[in-house]
């Protein structure tokens, strides 16, 4: 095991450059820990001439990442290009076909093609490491698939999109409306080119679907994630929640229920004194629950050059040390096709709506809830100047299914001005 | 790799029984994750007749753990007896001599004999897993030695003795003095047979010395841990700290400094709004800092049947999957003998003392601090009825060395009633 492990890196953005720096600057440390040198032999990116602040002259250059992935002098294909399809997928497939191990930070690719890639990799005897794809620098994949492998995992939760958490905590601390903070985040460069990936919950949903596959031994099924973004959260929602002792977080939850596998990524209310409630800014948090370990909470930076490169290197070092296991912790061919349980677990809900200001509106809303079997814990109508009355309702525990029936009935009543906002109150 | 992995378990207390339960109840899950069955072939404990709530009739019984460790039908010797020497050490050595892998929860044994055992194990081609020895169910060894292996670790901190954290948080929440809460903890069965192991910081110090070895590639050196227990913390200290926005925690800190490796386990003041400050009851927390990853915080149960058995099984599963690496993450033969840096990193300190109530006492104390180069940030003398005056001083940043010089000078002044309490204010 003293033969060097040779990396080919495709994608030299922030994370790629960070990986190059670590391999160059910590060569002795890595060799001592891995029992063999870890070196880079070739790199690839779109623009060869860009100054990335790292010296690339020692490495072969490939314009085409597929060519990089197939090189004889590459043992591990490090995919840091991103994108669910296109060059990232083509090069990853080429690497596996050539018998190379893969390390990737690409949650979108794995969320959409994880099962097919895992089958191909396992057939070819290759591993795919994707620690960097979930929760930045937090070694959550390792904790879940290795550290807690003696557990029946009962629930996994996470705040895994730093941009959304930044927006929500900044709204609260500065008392600013969503649009203003969204624009701030945009100018700070926090948002993806397509901001819906962040604020629509898609990026975090990708991550959740990967954790769910490991936790429950089921095939990745991103399409089954119930997705809801933070775009409709108002500063009033945040203030109402705070008054009741809650914070609003874009929270991912997956758990196996009697009705199937539940995967939700949506804004939720969590107690303000819980670790999740206290999470501020761009930091990520994952909560892992198992029948033996009870609850483990992991907290750390969710993005950035150093933290994400640290996660990439964790996977590289595992490969250098000869650690090999199936992509999702169990052979992909044996992963279940878990039935998707939509909104099965009951919880209290926070409802905010605007009612047309005419006699009987509130009674009709209350009746619609009651008829759907949703009982009300608290209800409050706020003072208002215009023709619509803001109403806040907290329900007792109910299923999302019952709540959706109530919301559908309300929509037919001609008393709502706009769509209500319904946020789950999660027990964490 | 479809041959079963055969465990021999020595020690059938809470944790041992927990491991037996997991192996029996989750056989299919473990086999699917490990790619091979995990079975128990033999067990050993002091008393064969005790009812442990688990069925042991399928397993061979050995009265002597050394005999168990050598059995041909045992691949992994699982040492859950405890004790730094005696049968635990003898059986572990026998297992290694017989070429068996070892999984242990024994922090005392590794803190005292870790280097020798690691050398022996690596010579024999064996691994020693000790995830369960540090911070209960939290997979912190794995996170540090594998997940963060691309980092120069800069600092590791931890609250790793649940009993001490229970005592300190209970004193604060109930406003009760140390002696009363200590007795409560005793009656709840939270304390070791020798309570000094807990409240003297020894148990937590053992754990810290293991983390330091991994973090800094140095030989375990428990003797170099600066140890201070919580026995002298009063409810007044806790209240004073709270008034200033701090909590008192038995905090372990290790970091490599220009003067050598600092290892401290002592009651410290930490900000009450930090994750460490907010940690309540028996929960543990580890903070890992690296040059790339910045800061990772891990939180979870520090003890108990399920969580500790979960950590034992994490190690067992690694072995079942064929993951093999040196005991402390790098070959033991190459670990450095880091110079011990005593109290090198400066910090502000909290000082509480009782002064003999005569004119000039306070001035003399202030002068002693000044002459040692310790400057005062805040000083307060409290109202009092008896002949000694309680005084609280918060210093500016100083080294423990300068502070000790000042305390020594004070002790010669004939103005102190009893020894002062000096607590570091740690920036976390």
């Amino acid at each position: 095991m003293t033969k060097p492990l040779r990396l080919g890196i495709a994608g030299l953005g922030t994370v790629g450059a960070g990986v190059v720096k670590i391999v160059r600057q910590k060569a002795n440390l890595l060799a001592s820990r891995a029992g063999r040198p870890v070196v880079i032999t070739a790199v690839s990116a779109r623009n060869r001439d860009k100054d990335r602040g790292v010296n690339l002259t020692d490495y072969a250059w490939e314009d085409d990442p597929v060519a990089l992935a197939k090189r004889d002098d590459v043992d591990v294909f490090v995919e840091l290009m991103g994108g669910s399809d296109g060059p990232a997928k083509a090069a990853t497939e080429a690497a596996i076909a050539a018998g190379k191990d893969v390390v990737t930070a690409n949650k979108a690719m794995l969320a959409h093609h994880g099962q097919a890639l895992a089958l191909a990799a396992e057939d070819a005897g290759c591993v795919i490491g994707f620690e960097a794809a979930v929760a930045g620098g937090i070694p959550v994949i390792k904790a879940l698939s290795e550290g807690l492998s003696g557990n029946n995992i009962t629930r996994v939760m996470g705040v895994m999109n730093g941009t959304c958490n930044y927006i929500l905590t900044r709204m609260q601390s500065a008392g600013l409306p969503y649009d203003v903070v969204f624009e701030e985040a945009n100018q700070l460069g926090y948002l993806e080119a397509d901001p819906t990936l962040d604020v629509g919950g898609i990026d975090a949903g990708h991550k959740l679907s990967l954790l769910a596959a490991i936790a429950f031994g089921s095939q990745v099924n991103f399409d089954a994630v119930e997705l809801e973004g933070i775009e409709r959260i108002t500063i009033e929602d945040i203030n109402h929640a705070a008054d009741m002792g809650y914070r609003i977080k874009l929270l991912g939850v997956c758990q196996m229920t009697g009705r199937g596998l539940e995967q939700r990524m949506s804004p939720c209310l969590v107690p303000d004194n819980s670790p999740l409630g206290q999470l501020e800014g761009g930091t990520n948090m994952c909560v892992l629950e198992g029948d033996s370990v009870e609850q483990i909470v992991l907290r750390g930076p969710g993005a950035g050059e150093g933290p994400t490169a640290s996660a990439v290197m964790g996977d590289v070092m595992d490969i250098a040390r000869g650690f090999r296991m199936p992509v999702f912790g169990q052979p992909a061919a044996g992963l279940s096709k878990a039935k998707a349980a939509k909104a099965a677990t009951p919880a209290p809900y926070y409802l905010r709506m605007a009612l047309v200001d005419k006699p009987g509106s509130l009674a009709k809303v209350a009746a619609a809830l009651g008829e759907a079997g949703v009982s009300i814990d608290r209800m409050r109508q706020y003072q208002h100047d215009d023709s619509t009355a803001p109403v806040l309702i907290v329900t007792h525990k109910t299923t999302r299914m019952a709540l959706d029936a109530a919301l559908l009935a309300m929509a037919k009543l001609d008393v709502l001005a706009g769509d209500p906002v319904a946020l789950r109150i999660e027990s964490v």
Side-chain angles (χ1 to χ4, degrees), chain A residues 92-310:
Chain A
T92 299
E93 288 169 343
I96 292 167
K100 318 287 188 189
D101 293 324
V102 174
V103 172
T104 178
N106 194 328
K107 49 230 128 196
M109 178 176 74
L110 290 174
H112 289 287
H113 310 293
Q115 178 65 13
L117 289 171
L119 284 169
E122 291 165 27
D123 270 355
C126 304
V127 302
I128 302 179
F130 58 100
E131 187 66 83
V134 181
I138 303 175
V140 60
I141 304 284
K142 185 169 274 290
L144 187 61
S145 60
E146 302 174 24
L148 303 192
S149 56
N151 288 262
N152 279 307
I153 301 299
T154 47
R155 184 170 67 159
V156 174
M157 298 188 288
V159 170
M160 298 185 287
N161 183 282
T163 304
C164 287
N165 204 49
Y166 167 82
I167 290 174
L168 292 170
T169 51
R170 170 87 177 136
M171 284 170 73
Q172 171 143 29
S173 61
L176 290 169
Y178 177 82
D179 292 343
V180 172
V181 177
F182 177 90
E183 195 41 45
E184 273 184 13
N186 194 23
Q187 296 198 346
L188 288 165
Y190 289 180
L191 287 160
E192 303 259 1
D194 173 5
T196 315
L197 287 175
D198 286 315
V199 298
I202 298 168
D203 165 81
H206 287 153
K207 296 167 183 169
L208 184 73
S209 71
L210 300 178
L211 293 179
I214 298 170
F216 303 107
S218 54
Q219 297 180 18
V220 187
N221 189 357
F222 170 67
D223 291 336
V225 178
E226 296 175 63
L227 269 187
E228 200 181 314
I230 62 166
E231 304 97 326
R232 295 184 61 217
I233 305 297
T234 63
I235 180 68
E236 288 77 23
D237 291 326
I238 286 177
N239 291 336
H240 292 328
D243 288 346
M244 299 188 291
Y246 293 100
R247 297 277 180 274
I248 298 178
K249 299 286 168 192
L250 178 65
L251 183 69
V253 181
C254 57
Q255 61 194 122
M256 190 60 79
T257 73
R259 304 168 48 128
L261 176 60
E262 208 175 320
Q263 300 181 79
R264 292 179 267 117
M265 180 58 68
S266 58
C268 291
L269 275 64
V270 298
D272 58 10
N273 63 356
S274 65
L276 282 166
Q278 290 166 347
L279 192 70
E280 308 234 316
T283 310
N284 282 16
M285 181 172 284
C286 298
V287 179
L288 310 178
E289 295 175 351
D291 60 348
S292 295
V293 81
E294 299 167 10
Q295 187 189 68
I296 300 286
V297 180
L298 312 170
R299 180 185 193 276
E305 175 185 316
T308 312
S310 168

Side-chain angles (χ1 to χ4, degrees), chain A residues 33-64:
Chain A
R33 287 181 179 160
R36 62 196 288 201
V38 175
V39 299
I40 297 167
T41 46
V43 295
S44 170
R46 260 180 296 202
N47 178 353
R48 184 165 188 172
D49 300 323
K50 190 172 160 187
D51 180 10
R52 299 173 168 91
V54 287
N55 185 348
L56 301 172
T57 52
D58 297 346
Y59 317 135
W61 179 274
E62 295 279 1
D63 287 316
D64 177 7

